[in-house]
Amino acid sequence: MSGLKKVFIKTYGCQMNVYDSERMVEALGGQGYVETNRAEDADMILLNTCHIREKAAEKVYSELGRLKPLKQINPDLKIGVTGCVAQAEGEEIMRRMPVVDLVLGPQSYHRLPEHARELAEGRKAVDTEFPAEDKFTELKSRPLTRRAPAAFLTVQEGCDKFCAFCVVPYTRGAENSRPATAVLAEAQGLVDAGVREITLLGQNVNAYHGHDRGLAGLVRDLAAIDGLERIRYTTSHPNDMDDALIAAHGDCAKLMPYLHLPVQSGSDRILKAMNRKHSAEQYLRLIERIRAARPDIMLSSDFIVGFPGETDADHQASLDLIEAVGYGASFSFKYSARPGTPAAEKAPVADDVMDHRLHALQALIARQQRAVQESMVGREVGVLFEKTGRMAGQIVGKSDYLHAVYAKGDKALIGQVCRVRITESGPNSLGGELVGSS
Ligand code: 5AD
Ligand code: SF4
């Protein structure tokens, strides 16, 4: 076969998977692959999967069923499952779906080029070890092509917290931080390629220990990079919000005023059963301290409804906590029993009860989100424009507070942080007028 081969990658789950997918495509670049956004044209299809809830995992199998006929059209097509379902289910995936040629866990994707060669020779491969070598050190440095203004950068992976509901410690392994020097070099490369905003990623990012002053130290060193204008990080655990990081929110202008700080439940009884190791009151006091450092900070959280043993009173405690905090956004999920986790052993809450609670919680979250969005009208905010909008002459970007913002403006402003006066609040975005670029 001659010429370039094409890889199609479909990404499920969290932002870390988005980052991993980019790196996998880049790694295959050395094997002569280019990315395509059409599965029908591909020589290799990768599904980069998520195992966090049952629905997320099941999606993979239905997608594999849909992809199967493509192998009849192109017998050389190779299909791989990567990410967290690959890690959790391993060989079982090939047993259930013989159409799969490669099963590759999230800690081993630096070996993708090797596996691509094996597949080309007609072999199949399963690689779900936690290898001794570090994938980030093994991967080649990133290509210097021009990039979109906002990028993700993984700095930490894995989790040692063992929340009773969560598969992450099993799929992503123990906490592991990349050294600050490696992160700073990658960030500089991204900025050289046109990136203006970096979101630092980690399953437990504020437990980052690749810098002698922790995540706060990394944020401050990143802030010294000329041309990098905005820094964000996600996802954080309340118990790892230390004083230095809170202080950085107060005095590091490049650190954006938005913090995703999942609490999961407002009930102390459920928090204990979840092994979260803090109370609702401790969380509320932490929020007070963060707001004292940065009064305009926007907060968001994740909530699980129907954790085993959750009563109406526990559910009410979650609603009360949401009322007390006033979130700018939040994400809520029905509890999903995950194989191998401690909570999966316990009797589940009835599905209709879960539905009812999810509905109540989502209604409250939506009300808060609307109120916060409406309170932005009349305010002036920074917006990093990222692309053109659907209407002619429109550009779209993200505000300091992570709201999507539309404005009339020249597409030459894409990649710049501009001052925008917010004039209207829609269901999922804000509209505004340019005041001038900063
Ligand atoms: N069931 C439902 N939601 C879950 N999450 C994690 N594990 C589960 C589960 N077993 C949610 C948590 C977490 C988010 C990423 O997904 O709220 O913060
Ligand atoms: Fe899904 Fe968690 Fe894996 Fe991200 S780390 S893809 S959320 S299971």
Side-chain angles (χ1 to χ4, degrees):
M1 203 197 285
S2 67
L4 288 171
K5 286 176 279 180
K6 290 185 182 150
V7 55
F8 170 82
I9 188 158
K10 184 162 177 173
T11 308
Y12 302 82
C14 64
Q15 292 139 328
M16 194 168 295
N17 267 13
V18 175
Y19 176 85
D20 290 347
S21 290
E22 274 183 28
R23 304 260 357 210
M24 282 193 266
V25 170
E26 289 169 9
L28 282 173
Q31 298 292 304
Y33 279 90
V34 291
E35 192 174 8
T36 171
N37 53 16
R38 285 170 46 90
E40 302 75 30
D41 295 346
D43 303 286
M44 184 185 293
I45 295 178
L46 298 175
L47 302 182
N48 193 16
T49 61
C50 174
H51 201 246
I52 199 93
R53 285 171 289 275
E54 193 180 352
K55 258 196 197 154
E58 280 307 315
K59 270 190 203 161
V60 179
Y61 289 103
S62 39
E63 184 66 20
L64 287 170
R66 271 196 296 276
L67 292 174
K68 204 171 152 191
L70 291 182
K71 273 211 168 173
Q72 276 143 22
I73 302 166
N74 175 6
D76 292 331
L77 170 65
K78 305 296 176 198
I79 297 183
V81 176
T82 64
C84 294
V85 175
Q87 188 62 45
E89 301 195 352
E91 253 170 88
E92 175 60 24
I93 298 174
M94 277 181 188
R95 265 197 293 275
R96 199 168 147 185
M97 286 287 177
V99 72
V100 173
D101 302 290
L102 170 68
V103 175
L104 182 65
Q107 302 311 333
S108 312
Y109 65 70
H110 55 290
R111 296 183 184 155
L112 188 52
E114 251 169 75
H115 293 310
R117 281 191 296 272
E118 283 166 8
L119 301 192
E121 288 160 11
R123 283 183 285 157
K124 293 198 173 206
V126 178
D127 185 351
T128 54
E129 287 168 51
F130 287 120
E133 75 275 11
D134 172 55
K135 69 176 171 230
F136 295 112
T137 334
E138 298 293 314
L139 285 166
K140 291 203 177 48
S141 53
R142 311 193 64 178
L144 289 172
T145 43
R146 193 91 196 140
R147 288 181 167 271
F152 295 130
L153 203 175
T154 294
V155 302
Q156 182 275 340
E157 268 188 282
C159 183
D160 298 340
K161 296 266 185 308
F162 290 92
C163 297
F165 50 81
C166 189
V167 287
V168 167
Y170 313 99
T171 57
R172 294 271 176 171
E175 275 181 19
N176 176 36
S177 296
R178 296 177 67 189
T181 45
V183 173
L184 290 163
E186 190 172 332
Q188 181 66 61
L190 290 171
V191 171
D192 294 343
V195 168
R196 297 290 164 260
E197 171 179 312
I198 290 180
T199 301
L200 304 174
L201 300 180
Q203 265 99 22
N204 227 335
V205 73
N206 60 342
Y208 176 78
H209 56 262
H211 189 288
D212 55 3
R213 283 170 291 122
L215 187 63
L218 180 66
V219 165
R220 288 186 192 277
D221 285 359
L222 283 166
I225 297 180
D226 274 344
L228 179 60
E229 302 199 41
R230 291 170 144 191
I231 302 165
R232 305 180 188 275
Y233 61 90
T234 197
T235 286
S236 295
H237 191 288
N239 289 355
D240 290 315
M241 281 309 294
D242 62 13
D243 291 343
L245 193 53
I246 295 176
H249 277 285
D251 62 22
C252 180
K254 290 185 180 180
L255 185 56
M256 289 293 103
Y258 181 103
L259 177 62
H260 184 57
L261 196 59
V263 63
Q264 314 295 354
S265 167
S267 153
D268 287 344
R269 222 174 54 81
I270 295 298
L271 286 170
K272 191 158 195 308
M274 287 176 163
N275 194 30
R276 295 287 293 176
K277 298 200 172 80
H278 64 77
S279 65
E281 186 56 36
Q282 282 167 330
Y283 179 82
L284 291 171
R285 276 207 300 273
L286 172 62
I287 300 284
E288 271 170 25
R289 284 167 52 222
I290 297 166
R291 281 187 168 146
R294 181 79 205 225
D296 64 333
I297 199 160
M298 183 89 77
L299 293 159
S300 63
S301 175
D302 295 336
F303 291 91
I304 295 178
V305 302
F307 184 81
E310 188 188 65
T311 63
D312 284 342
D314 296 320
H315 170 62
Q316 186 58 47
S318 292
L319 298 176
D320 293 346
L321 180 138
I322 295 172
E323 288 280 11
V325 173
Y327 290 102
S330 275
F331 308 90
S332 50
F333 312 99
K334 277 196 326 192
Y335 170 73
S336 165
R338 308 310 291 125
T341 60
E345 311 293 313
K346 301 201 183 147
V349 169
D351 209 46
D352 58 332
V353 175
M354 279 209 251
D355 281 334
H356 186 75
R357 289 182 189 163
L358 185 68
H359 197 251
L361 204 123
Q362 288 188 335
L364 174 56
I365 289 169
R367 228 180 311 131
Q368 283 195 341
Q369 185 169 326
R370 249 190 333 268
V372 169
Q373 270 189 216
E374 274 156 21
S375 74
M376 301 304 294
V377 175
R379 283 183 59 183
E380 215 180 281
V381 294
V383 175
L384 171 61
F385 286 106
E386 294 179 26
K387 54 185 184 191
T388 53
R390 256 175 298 162
M391 308 233 281
Q394 208 178 41
I395 47 178
V396 192
K398 293 274 167 54
S399 80
D400 300 340
Y401 306 99
L402 214 54
H403 284 126
V405 178
Y406 292 77
K408 274 216 175 82
D410 195 313
K411 62 176 189 293
L413 294 175
I414 291 171
Q416 288 186 38
V417 177
C418 302
R419 300 300 297 169
V420 173
R421 187 174 311 104
I422 302 300
T423 52
E424 57 182 330
S425 165
N428 294 308
S429 59
L430 301 171
E433 288 165 356
L434 284 165
V435 179
S437 47
S438 60

